[in-house]
Amino acid sequence: MWADEAALDAATRRLDEWESSLADRAARARDLSTRTRALTGTARSADDLVEVTVDPSGALTDLRLDERTRQHSAAHTARQILATTRAARVDLLRQLTEATTQALGDDDPAARAIVESHRRRLDPDPGTPDAGR
């Protein structure tokens, strides 16, 4: 089947390199998965009345309200919570993007797809202004 031993050796080396590359990518993907599961996004409102933390999926996990929120209307506080939650998701997206590009590289198509997936999930309306940190 093979014309000569050199061609067989070259084909074997290519297969070994391919296998090694796949093993390396799998290890980096596992590392990325572990790192992203541990990330949280946090933000504070500009007036420091509201602090929000979100988990890796963008769900609210912690909400802290300063006692001074009692001096504001419920509607104002609600707007602050929503804006600060958006800012926490932006913080999470930044961290997820950083972790992904560190693990897989800027040029990797899978990295770009992962970042875009996170962006669509965490920032469905990119035109919405976020709260201050």
Side-chain angles (χ1 to χ4, degrees), residues 25-111:
R25 289 181 60 79
R28 288 187 287 148
R30 280 190 302 274
D31 176 57
L32 176 60
S33 177
T34 299
R35 290 173 63 193
T36 58
R37 280 195 304 266
L39 293 177
T40 60
T42 301
R44 292 181 76 66
S45 61
D47 56 9
D48 286 332
L49 295 180
V50 176
E51 181 179 89
V52 170
T53 301
V54 295
D55 69 11
S57 70
L60 186 73
T61 59
D62 193 26
L63 172 63
R64 296 177 190 259
L65 302 175
D66 187 278
E67 288 298 321
R68 294 175 294 146
T69 58
R70 295 172 189 242
Q71 299 168 3
H72 298 279
S73 70
H76 173 80
T77 301
R79 283 191 303 274
Q80 290 285 79
I81 291 169
L82 291 174
T84 307
T85 301
R86 283 190 296 271
R89 287 180 176 155
V90 168
D91 178 53
L92 175 63
L93 178 59
R94 178 192 56 76
Q95 292 179 63
L96 288 166
T97 300
E98 187 177 287
T100 302
T101 56
Q102 284 176 356
L104 303 179
D106 287 332
D107 299 341
D108 187 282

